[in-house]
C-alpha cells in the first residue's frame, strides 16, 4: 500500500512544513481544481512548484490529479523532476486516448480518473494503456466528504479486470479515506490511498501517516 496525502487539506500558510510532516508517506497528492469541471478552485502549478526543494528534501514525488477542463492545455505546467503521475478525468477529456498518450509523451506515468457515478466499463479500451486508475470515492470538488460505499465495488471490479487481463496499472482511491475504512479499501484491491483531512488535516500528520501504515500492514 502506498499513502498519498493530499496537500489540499494542508496548512497553506506553511505548506513546506506541512510536506515535511508527511515525509514518511509515499507520494504528495496534488489536487488541482479549476472551478469549472468541479465546483471549487484550489491552486495551480506555481504553488506546486514552490514545493520542489522540499519535495527533493523529503524524497517524495508528485501525484498530480487534474480535476480540470481541457487538461491537455495545462498538464505540461505540472511537469517537474518530481512529477511521477499525471491523472486526468475521463469525464473531462473529449479524446481520452489522445490525452493519455500526451501524458505518456511527457515521460511520466499516465492516470485516468472516474467520478463515483461513472462506470468502470467506460475505461475498457484505455486500461491497457494507463499506469494508474483513480476511483473517486466522493464527488470531486471539496475535501472532508464522506466515503461513498458503492465505490468499493468499483475497486474490486478493476482489480478483477487487472488480474484477468494481466494489466499493470495501479489502483488509487480518493475521497473520504480514513483509518476506519482504509483496510477494507486495500483488501478490495487498492494500491494507493489518498488521504487529505485524515492526514494533513490532523494535529499530528506524521502520526497519522504512521497510523495508516500500521492499519494497512
Amino acid at each position: 500500500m502506498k499513502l498519498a496525502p493530499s496537500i489540499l487539506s494542508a496548512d497553506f500558510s506553511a505548506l513546506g512544513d506541512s510536506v515535511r510532516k508527511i515525509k514518511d508517506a509515499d507520494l504528495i497528492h496534488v489536487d488541482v481544481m479549476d472551478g469549472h469541471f468541479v465546483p471549487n478552485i484550489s491552486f495551480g502549478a506555481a504553488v506546486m512548484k514552490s514545493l520542489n526543494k522540499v519535495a527533493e528534501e523529503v524524497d517524495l514525488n508528485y501525484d498530480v490529479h487534474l480535476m480540470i477542463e481541457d487538461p491537455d492545455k495545462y498538464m505540461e505546467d505540472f511537469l517537474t523532476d518530481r512529477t511521477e503521475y499525471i491523472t486526468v478525468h475521463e469525464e473531462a477529456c473529449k479524446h481520452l486516448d489522445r490525452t493519455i498518450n500526451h501524458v505518456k509523451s511527457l515521460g511520466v506515468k499516465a492516470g485516468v480518473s472516474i467520478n463515483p457515478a461513472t462506470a468502470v466499463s467506460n475505461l475498457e479500451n484505455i486500461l491497457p494503456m494507463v499506469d494508474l486508475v483513480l476511483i473517486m470515492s466522493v464527488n470531486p470538488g471539496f475535501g472532508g466528504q464522506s466515503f461513498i460505499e458503492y465505490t468499493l465495488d468499483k475497486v474490486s471490479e478493476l482489480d478483477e479486470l487487472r488480474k484477468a487481463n494481466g494489466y499493470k496499472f495501479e489502483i488509487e482511491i480518493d475521497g473520504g479515506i480514513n483509518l476506519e475504512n482504509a483496510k477494507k479499501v486495500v483488501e478490495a484491491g487498492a494500491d494507493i490511498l489518498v488521504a487529505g483531512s485524515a492526514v494533513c488535516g490532523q494535529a499530528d500528520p506524521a502520526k497519522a501517516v504512521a497510523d495508516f501504515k500500521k492499519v494497512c500492514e
Side-chain angles (χ1 to χ4, degrees), residues 4-78:
S6 171
I7 57 172
L8 186 65
S9 298
D11 179 359
F12 272 55
S13 69
L15 201 50
D17 287 339
S18 294
V19 170
R20 289 185 181 95
K21 291 175 182 177
I22 60 167
K23 64 182 179 63
D24 292 327
D26 301 284
L27 294 160
I28 302 168
H29 190 78
V30 181
D31 283 310
V32 183
M33 306 180 189
D34 63 357
H36 295 282
F37 179 65
V38 294
N40 198 5
I41 297 173
S42 58
F43 48 79
V47 172
M48 187 195 86
K49 288 177 178 178
S50 74
L51 295 171
N52 284 351
K53 289 183 179 179
V54 180
E56 183 75 26
E57 174 189 326
V58 299
D59 195 22
L60 290 176
N61 288 341
Y62 296 125
D63 172 27
V64 181
H65 180 193
L66 297 180
M67 290 177 274
I68 63 174
E69 294 180 357
D70 198 7
D72 288 271
K73 185 176 179 180
Y74 301 101
M75 66 174 66
E76 292 184 35
D77 293 341
F78 293 88

Side-chain angles (χ1 to χ4, degrees), residues 5 13 18 29 43 68 70 78 81 85 114 129 132 142 146 157 164 171 175 182 185-186 193:
S13 69
S18 294
H29 190 78
F43 48 79
I68 63 174
D70 198 7
F78 293 88
D81 290 342
Y85 303 84
I114 54 175
M129 298 174 57
L132 176 76
F142 299 93
S146 297
E157 182 181 355
I171 300 173
V185 170
V186 171
L193 306 187

Side-chain angles (χ1 to χ4, degrees), residues 88-106:
V88 299
H89 267 261
E90 184 269 345
E91 302 90 350
C93 297
K94 292 181 179 179
H95 305 288
L96 183 58
D97 181 277
R98 179 182 296 160
T99 299
I100 292 298
N101 276 305
H102 185 183
V103 177
K104 294 175 82 72
S105 75
L106 301 177

Side-chain angles (χ1 to χ4, degrees), residues 104-156:
K104 294 175 82 72
S105 75
L106 301 177
V108 299
K109 296 175 183 177
V112 61
S113 181
I114 54 175
N115 290 332
T118 301
V120 169
S121 59
N122 285 29
L123 302 178
E124 180 180 355
N125 293 321
I126 210 76
L127 289 178
M129 298 174 57
V130 296
D131 302 294
L132 176 76
V133 179
L134 170 54
I135 297 294
M136 288 302 301
S137 44
V138 299
N139 289 295
F142 299 93
Q145 298 182 67
S146 297
F147 183 81
I148 298 174
E149 287 292 332
Y150 70 75
T151 60
L152 200 62
D153 294 333
K154 297 167 73 173
V155 173
S156 298

